Amino acid sequence: MTMTTTVRLNGVGAAPGLAIGQAVWWRKERPVVETRSISDTEQETRRLEQAVSQAKEQLSRLREVTAERMGEGEAGIFDAHLSFLDDPAYVGEMKNRIQQQKKNAESICSAVTDEMSQMLASLPDEYMQARADDIRDVGDRLLLLLSGKQPFDPSLLQPGSVVVAEELAPSDTAQFPPGIAAMITARGSKTAHAAIMARTLGIPAVLGLGKAIEQVQDGDTIIADGEAGWIDLNPDAETQAKAEKEMKRQQELRDQALQKAGEDAVTQDGKRIQIFANIGSLNDVETALNNGAEGVGLFRTEFLYLENDHWPTEEEQYQTYRKVLEAFDGRPVIIRTLDIGGDKDLPYAELPKEENPFLGHRAIRFCLANKDIFKTQLRALLRAGVYGDLWIMFPMVENVSEVKEAKALLEECRQELHKEGVQTAEQLKVGIMVEVPAAAVTADLLAKEVDFMSIGTNDLTQYTLAADRGNEAVAHLYDAAHPAVLRLVRQTCDAGQKAGIPVGMCGELAGDPKMTEVLVGLGLVELSMSAGTIPEVKEQVRGVNSTDARELADHALTRENPDEVRTVAAKGK
Amino acid sequence: MQETTIVIQNESGLHARPAALLVQEAGKYESQVQLIKAGKQVDAKSLLGVMSLSVRKGDEITIRAEGNDAEAAVNGLRSLIESGLE
């Protein structure tokens, strides 16, 4: 045993999992730019041209790798970068100024980049404003190349590396090679984009370690616990052995759960809980099926709108919906109608900026006000429904008239299609997403109008607790395990049971295996989550006795705060 | 020198994709091509330039070209804009 002492640093657990690996610093340097006069403008122009061509090579390579690993959508960021390097107003302008001002390429590159980025940032349009960061990225890359230094080369990362950084942008995370053990950063919160990417990629992440992270040196051994939110720096042999043992145990549990992922989740006393997957695009279908999804509990249709530069046509939507329904081969597929507006912007939609987007003109509100857009989607759904078990779900419903209006539009579309001689689904279910407290409180009234309800805990939590989890100052208040949220869940389940319709859950809470017993006890009959957690949640369900779960949930509802609820949930019955 | 003035009709103005299409079209011509909005003039072959005009639906813009194929350039860009930039 060595005599070193393990250094424990605490941060925020942003993506679960325990990992051991070797630290590699992901350094982003911005060289100091000096202004020099030059006499040979030809040579200076050649230096710039060389840097530009190297930057193009790097970006093309990044584009290719990213498209392969994360899809065309993520790769698109590099197209924007590449187009700037061909732009006369950017590189062209730099060349002009070198001739006119007889100054070094670095100072001119820096000045032009600043001007362009300020220009873009000042445009009255969020899409253009976002390009300001892109051009700054490109400018930094050029400056690094001019200085003779190289940007961080992701190929330095090996399987088993722990990526250490001040902060990581999504475009950085997009370049991670496979097999990264963990990522740790000084800044960033659980809801940072990088954290979401880490969870998608299944990489344990500890963020927000602060200045203490500077103690970490390249090559140091690091244990990272992305669940609890700590790292151990240069652990002693004993600590390391303990962590390795725990990793092995967790892996065995995962393997075990995965082996039984294809089987139903039935409680000890024979009650079946349906475990569905949340999917965001066609790419997620295969993973969902491999992990044992018995259906789709939430198909977010936004990607169809976000990945396009025009309102997706009926035919485009129909093809996509049909593919998902066919892939799930007669099992339920809950498709949520467009949830856009508020904070989710569409470049081509020109949505007005709102003071308070989450309380604004979004989702069903937007759709009922833009009937043409809504009807295009409803028609596509009615046509696709022929090919499977389609459940249509309306988001953000707040009162009964919205449901009635949406249903009337659906009927109108059906009539239109019949007149046109187009086949529509004979049987489909229509339901709502319960994510506004008003909907949960009046679930008994809404239940009379629908075939099913699904609780979206992310929005329900933020609305009930009046806490924006993206706001670091109040993020600690945001916890779906708050008794207030759970009481609304219970109330909704009771209303569903009385009306004889199923109530499910598709928010993040549904995929928390530590809460499974409480959720079953609250009366949910379907839980929908990201594919990766399905096997584990199924295993949890198998260990539950529904009578005990009911008592446990009753007890949880009387706790004073989320922490107490979680303690109760962890102990189990 | 050739020039023409046109009112932008498509919903999103000269937003990302429409702007890119326009720049692509301008790039096909040898002539120098400028876009002018409210006295501000930019190179139509520069995406950043076109973006900086921040053209919205209903805005009036002038297409001006100078060179051997100036007439073709102005006509080409005009019909592209009239087609709704799809």
Short mmCIF file of all heavy atoms in Angstrom, two decimals, chain A residues 83-84 87-90 119-120 123-125 127-128 131 135 309 347 350, chain B residues 11-17 43 45-49 51-52 54 56 86:
data_model
loop_
_atom_site.label_atom_id
_atom_site.label_comp_id
_atom_site.label_asym_id
_atom_site.label_seq_id
_atom_site.Cartn_x
_atom_site.Cartn_y
_atom_site.Cartn_z
N SER A 83 -18.40 27.48 -43.26
CA SER A 83 -18.88 28.50 -44.20
C SER A 83 -18.27 29.87 -43.89
O SER A 83 -18.03 30.66 -44.79
CB SER A 83 -20.42 28.57 -44.18
OG SER A 83 -20.86 29.29 -43.05
N PHE A 84 -17.97 30.14 -42.63
CA PHE A 84 -17.34 31.42 -42.29
C PHE A 84 -15.96 31.53 -42.94
O PHE A 84 -15.53 32.60 -43.34
CB PHE A 84 -17.18 31.58 -40.78
CG PHE A 84 -18.49 31.69 -40.06
CD1 PHE A 84 -18.66 31.15 -38.79
CD2 PHE A 84 -19.57 32.33 -40.64
CE1 PHE A 84 -19.88 31.26 -38.13
CE2 PHE A 84 -20.79 32.44 -40.00
CZ PHE A 84 -20.93 31.90 -38.74
N ASP A 87 -16.10 32.95 -46.31
CA ASP A 87 -16.90 34.16 -46.46
C ASP A 87 -16.04 35.40 -46.75
O ASP A 87 -15.11 35.70 -45.99
CB ASP A 87 -17.70 34.40 -45.18
CG ASP A 87 -18.90 35.29 -45.42
OD1 ASP A 87 -18.72 36.44 -45.90
OD2 ASP A 87 -20.02 34.86 -45.13
N PRO A 88 -16.36 36.10 -47.84
CA PRO A 88 -15.57 37.30 -48.16
C PRO A 88 -15.61 38.36 -47.05
O PRO A 88 -14.65 39.11 -46.90
CB PRO A 88 -16.20 37.85 -49.44
CG PRO A 88 -17.39 37.02 -49.74
CD PRO A 88 -17.39 35.83 -48.86
N ALA A 89 -16.71 38.40 -46.31
CA ALA A 89 -16.78 39.41 -45.25
C ALA A 89 -15.91 39.04 -44.06
O ALA A 89 -15.67 39.87 -43.18
CB ALA A 89 -18.23 39.59 -44.79
N TYR A 90 -15.43 37.80 -44.03
CA TYR A 90 -14.62 37.38 -42.89
C TYR A 90 -13.16 37.23 -43.30
O TYR A 90 -12.37 38.17 -43.17
CB TYR A 90 -15.20 36.09 -42.31
CG TYR A 90 -14.58 35.68 -41.00
CD1 TYR A 90 -14.51 36.57 -39.93
CD2 TYR A 90 -14.06 34.41 -40.83
CE1 TYR A 90 -13.92 36.20 -38.73
CE2 TYR A 90 -13.48 34.02 -39.63
CZ TYR A 90 -13.41 34.92 -38.59
OH TYR A 90 -12.83 34.55 -37.41
N MET A 119 -21.44 42.14 -34.42
CA MET A 119 -22.52 42.39 -35.38
C MET A 119 -23.60 41.32 -35.24
O MET A 119 -24.78 41.62 -35.12
CB MET A 119 -21.91 42.38 -36.80
CG MET A 119 -22.89 42.62 -37.93
SD MET A 119 -23.80 41.13 -38.45
CE MET A 119 -22.51 40.24 -39.36
N LEU A 120 -23.16 40.05 -35.20
CA LEU A 120 -24.13 38.96 -35.11
C LEU A 120 -24.90 39.02 -33.78
O LEU A 120 -26.11 38.83 -33.74
CB LEU A 120 -23.43 37.60 -35.25
CG LEU A 120 -22.93 37.27 -36.65
CD1 LEU A 120 -21.94 36.11 -36.62
CD2 LEU A 120 -24.09 36.94 -37.59
N LEU A 123 -27.91 41.33 -33.75
CA LEU A 123 -29.07 41.13 -34.61
C LEU A 123 -30.29 40.70 -33.79
O LEU A 123 -30.15 40.00 -32.80
CB LEU A 123 -28.76 40.06 -35.67
CG LEU A 123 -27.68 40.44 -36.68
CD1 LEU A 123 -27.42 39.27 -37.62
CD2 LEU A 123 -28.08 41.67 -37.48
N PRO A 124 -31.48 41.14 -34.21
CA PRO A 124 -32.67 40.86 -33.40
C PRO A 124 -33.20 39.45 -33.62
O PRO A 124 -34.34 39.26 -33.94
CB PRO A 124 -33.67 41.90 -33.91
CG PRO A 124 -33.29 42.10 -35.34
CD PRO A 124 -31.80 41.90 -35.42
N ASP A 125 -32.37 38.46 -33.46
CA ASP A 125 -32.78 37.11 -33.83
C ASP A 125 -31.86 36.12 -33.12
O ASP A 125 -30.65 36.18 -33.26
CB ASP A 125 -32.62 37.00 -35.35
CG ASP A 125 -33.00 35.64 -35.90
OD1 ASP A 125 -32.58 34.62 -35.32
OD2 ASP A 125 -33.69 35.61 -36.90
N TYR A 127 -31.26 32.99 -33.51
CA TYR A 127 -30.46 32.09 -34.33
C TYR A 127 -29.16 32.78 -34.74
O TYR A 127 -28.08 32.21 -34.64
CB TYR A 127 -31.24 31.67 -35.58
CG TYR A 127 -30.42 30.86 -36.53
CD1 TYR A 127 -30.28 29.48 -36.36
CD2 TYR A 127 -29.75 31.46 -37.59
CE1 TYR A 127 -29.50 28.74 -37.21
CE2 TYR A 127 -28.96 30.72 -38.45
CZ TYR A 127 -28.84 29.35 -38.25
OH TYR A 127 -28.05 28.62 -39.10
N MET A 128 -29.29 34.02 -35.19
CA MET A 128 -28.11 34.78 -35.63
C MET A 128 -27.20 35.06 -34.44
O MET A 128 -25.98 34.99 -34.55
CB MET A 128 -28.54 36.11 -36.25
CG MET A 128 -29.56 35.97 -37.36
SD MET A 128 -28.82 35.55 -38.94
CE MET A 128 -30.15 35.92 -40.05
N ARG A 131 -24.86 32.43 -33.70
CA ARG A 131 -23.73 32.36 -34.64
C ARG A 131 -22.55 33.22 -34.15
O ARG A 131 -21.42 33.03 -34.58
CB ARG A 131 -24.14 32.82 -36.05
CG ARG A 131 -25.32 32.04 -36.63
CD ARG A 131 -24.92 30.67 -37.14
NE ARG A 131 -24.78 29.67 -36.11
CZ ARG A 131 -25.78 29.09 -35.45
NH1 ARG A 131 -27.00 29.45 -35.69
NH2 ARG A 131 -25.56 28.17 -34.56
N ILE A 135 -18.63 32.11 -34.57
CA ILE A 135 -17.55 32.82 -35.26
C ILE A 135 -16.39 33.08 -34.28
O ILE A 135 -15.23 33.08 -34.66
CB ILE A 135 -18.03 34.11 -35.95
CG1 ILE A 135 -17.04 34.49 -37.06
CG2 ILE A 135 -18.21 35.26 -34.98
CD1 ILE A 135 -17.64 35.26 -38.18
N ASP A 309 -35.76 23.23 -41.93
CA ASP A 309 -35.75 24.68 -42.05
C ASP A 309 -37.09 25.16 -42.59
O ASP A 309 -37.24 26.25 -43.06
CB ASP A 309 -34.60 25.14 -42.94
CG ASP A 309 -34.52 24.32 -44.19
OD1 ASP A 309 -35.56 23.80 -44.62
OD2 ASP A 309 -33.41 24.20 -44.74
N PRO A 347 -36.33 28.61 -35.90
CA PRO A 347 -35.85 29.75 -36.68
C PRO A 347 -36.88 30.25 -37.68
O PRO A 347 -37.13 31.43 -37.79
CB PRO A 347 -34.64 29.19 -37.41
CG PRO A 347 -34.26 27.94 -36.71
CD PRO A 347 -35.43 27.47 -35.93
N GLU A 350 -40.38 32.34 -36.49
CA GLU A 350 -40.41 33.74 -36.06
C GLU A 350 -41.34 33.95 -34.88
O GLU A 350 -42.26 34.77 -34.93
CB GLU A 350 -40.86 34.63 -37.22
CG GLU A 350 -39.93 34.56 -38.40
CD GLU A 350 -39.60 35.94 -38.93
OE1 GLU A 350 -40.55 36.70 -39.14
OE2 GLU A 350 -38.40 36.25 -39.11
N GLU B 11 -41.93 34.32 -45.51
CA GLU B 11 -42.25 34.50 -44.09
C GLU B 11 -41.04 34.82 -43.22
O GLU B 11 -41.09 35.68 -42.37
CB GLU B 11 -42.93 33.23 -43.55
CG GLU B 11 -44.38 33.09 -43.95
CD GLU B 11 -45.23 34.27 -43.51
OE1 GLU B 11 -45.02 34.75 -42.39
OE2 GLU B 11 -46.09 34.69 -44.31
N SER B 12 -39.96 34.11 -43.44
CA SER B 12 -38.86 34.26 -42.50
C SER B 12 -37.82 35.29 -42.96
O SER B 12 -36.74 35.36 -42.41
CB SER B 12 -38.20 32.91 -42.26
OG SER B 12 -37.70 32.40 -43.46
N GLY B 13 -38.17 36.09 -43.98
CA GLY B 13 -37.21 37.07 -44.45
C GLY B 13 -35.99 36.38 -45.01
O GLY B 13 -36.07 35.26 -45.51
N LEU B 14 -34.81 37.03 -44.94
CA LEU B 14 -33.59 36.36 -45.39
C LEU B 14 -32.93 35.71 -44.19
O LEU B 14 -31.87 36.11 -43.73
CB LEU B 14 -32.64 37.35 -46.06
CG LEU B 14 -33.10 37.85 -47.43
CD1 LEU B 14 -32.02 38.69 -48.09
CD2 LEU B 14 -33.50 36.70 -48.34
N HIS B 15 -33.60 34.69 -43.68
CA HIS B 15 -33.09 33.97 -42.53
C HIS B 15 -32.05 32.95 -42.98
O HIS B 15 -31.76 32.87 -44.17
CB HIS B 15 -34.26 33.30 -41.83
CG HIS B 15 -33.95 32.98 -40.44
ND1 HIS B 15 -33.19 31.90 -40.11
CD2 HIS B 15 -34.23 33.62 -39.30
CE1 HIS B 15 -33.04 31.89 -38.81
NE2 HIS B 15 -33.65 32.92 -38.29
N ALA B 16 -31.54 32.18 -42.04
CA ALA B 16 -30.42 31.27 -42.31
C ALA B 16 -30.44 30.61 -43.69
O ALA B 16 -29.56 30.86 -44.51
CB ALA B 16 -30.36 30.22 -41.21
N ARG B 17 -31.44 29.76 -43.91
CA ARG B 17 -31.42 29.00 -45.16
C ARG B 17 -31.67 29.87 -46.39
O ARG B 17 -30.92 29.80 -47.36
CB ARG B 17 -32.42 27.85 -45.08
CG ARG B 17 -32.38 26.95 -46.29
CD ARG B 17 -33.26 25.72 -46.05
NE ARG B 17 -33.81 25.24 -47.31
CZ ARG B 17 -33.13 24.45 -48.15
NH1 ARG B 17 -31.91 24.10 -47.87
NH2 ARG B 17 -33.68 24.05 -49.27
N ASP B 43 -21.94 42.69 -49.68
CA ASP B 43 -21.57 41.75 -50.73
C ASP B 43 -22.55 40.58 -50.71
O ASP B 43 -22.65 39.87 -49.71
CB ASP B 43 -20.14 41.25 -50.44
CG ASP B 43 -19.60 40.35 -51.53
OD1 ASP B 43 -20.40 39.90 -52.38
OD2 ASP B 43 -18.38 40.11 -51.54
N LYS B 45 -22.29 37.86 -52.03
CA LYS B 45 -21.61 36.56 -52.01
C LYS B 45 -21.12 36.23 -50.60
O LYS B 45 -20.44 35.23 -50.39
CB LYS B 45 -20.43 36.57 -52.99
CG LYS B 45 -20.91 36.73 -54.43
CD LYS B 45 -19.76 36.78 -55.42
CE LYS B 45 -20.31 37.05 -56.82
NZ LYS B 45 -19.25 37.11 -57.83
N SER B 46 -21.43 37.10 -49.63
CA SER B 46 -21.01 36.86 -48.25
C SER B 46 -22.21 36.57 -47.36
O SER B 46 -23.10 37.40 -47.20
CB SER B 46 -20.28 38.09 -47.70
OG SER B 46 -20.30 38.08 -46.30
N LEU B 47 -22.23 35.36 -46.79
CA LEU B 47 -23.35 34.99 -45.91
C LEU B 47 -23.41 35.93 -44.71
O LEU B 47 -24.48 36.39 -44.32
CB LEU B 47 -23.18 33.54 -45.44
CG LEU B 47 -24.33 33.00 -44.59
CD1 LEU B 47 -25.64 32.99 -45.37
CD2 LEU B 47 -24.02 31.59 -44.11
N LEU B 48 -22.23 36.21 -44.14
CA LEU B 48 -22.21 37.11 -42.98
C LEU B 48 -22.74 38.48 -43.36
O LEU B 48 -23.47 39.11 -42.60
CB LEU B 48 -20.79 37.22 -42.43
CG LEU B 48 -20.32 36.01 -41.64
CD1 LEU B 48 -18.80 36.02 -41.52
CD2 LEU B 48 -20.97 35.96 -40.27
N GLY B 49 -22.37 38.92 -44.56
CA GLY B 49 -22.85 40.21 -45.04
C GLY B 49 -24.37 40.22 -45.15
O GLY B 49 -25.04 41.10 -44.63
N MET B 51 -26.49 38.18 -43.78
CA MET B 51 -27.11 38.05 -42.46
C MET B 51 -27.13 39.39 -41.74
O MET B 51 -28.08 39.72 -41.04
CB MET B 51 -26.35 37.02 -41.62
CG MET B 51 -26.73 35.57 -41.93
SD MET B 51 -25.48 34.40 -41.34
CE MET B 51 -26.12 33.91 -39.79
N SER B 52 -26.07 40.17 -41.92
CA SER B 52 -25.97 41.43 -41.18
C SER B 52 -27.04 42.44 -41.60
O SER B 52 -27.34 43.37 -40.88
CB SER B 52 -24.58 42.05 -41.34
OG SER B 52 -24.46 42.63 -42.62
N SER B 54 -30.11 41.65 -41.89
CA SER B 54 -31.27 41.31 -41.08
C SER B 54 -32.58 41.63 -41.81
O SER B 54 -33.44 42.36 -41.33
CB SER B 54 -31.19 42.09 -39.77
OG SER B 54 -32.15 41.65 -38.87
N ARG B 56 -36.19 41.25 -43.22
CA ARG B 56 -37.43 40.62 -42.76
C ARG B 56 -38.48 40.69 -43.86
O ARG B 56 -38.35 41.45 -44.81
CB ARG B 56 -37.97 41.35 -41.53
CG ARG B 56 -36.97 41.43 -40.42
CD ARG B 56 -37.61 41.01 -39.14
NE ARG B 56 -36.65 40.30 -38.34
CZ ARG B 56 -36.99 39.50 -37.33
NH1 ARG B 56 -38.25 39.31 -37.04
NH2 ARG B 56 -36.08 38.90 -36.61
N GLU B 86 -37.15 28.77 -51.78
CA GLU B 86 -37.32 27.41 -51.26
C GLU B 86 -36.32 26.49 -51.93
O GLU B 86 -35.98 26.66 -53.07
CB GLU B 86 -38.74 26.91 -51.50
CG GLU B 86 -39.76 27.56 -50.59
CD GLU B 86 -39.47 27.39 -49.10
OE1 GLU B 86 -38.91 26.34 -48.72
OE2 GLU B 86 -39.76 28.30 -48.32
#
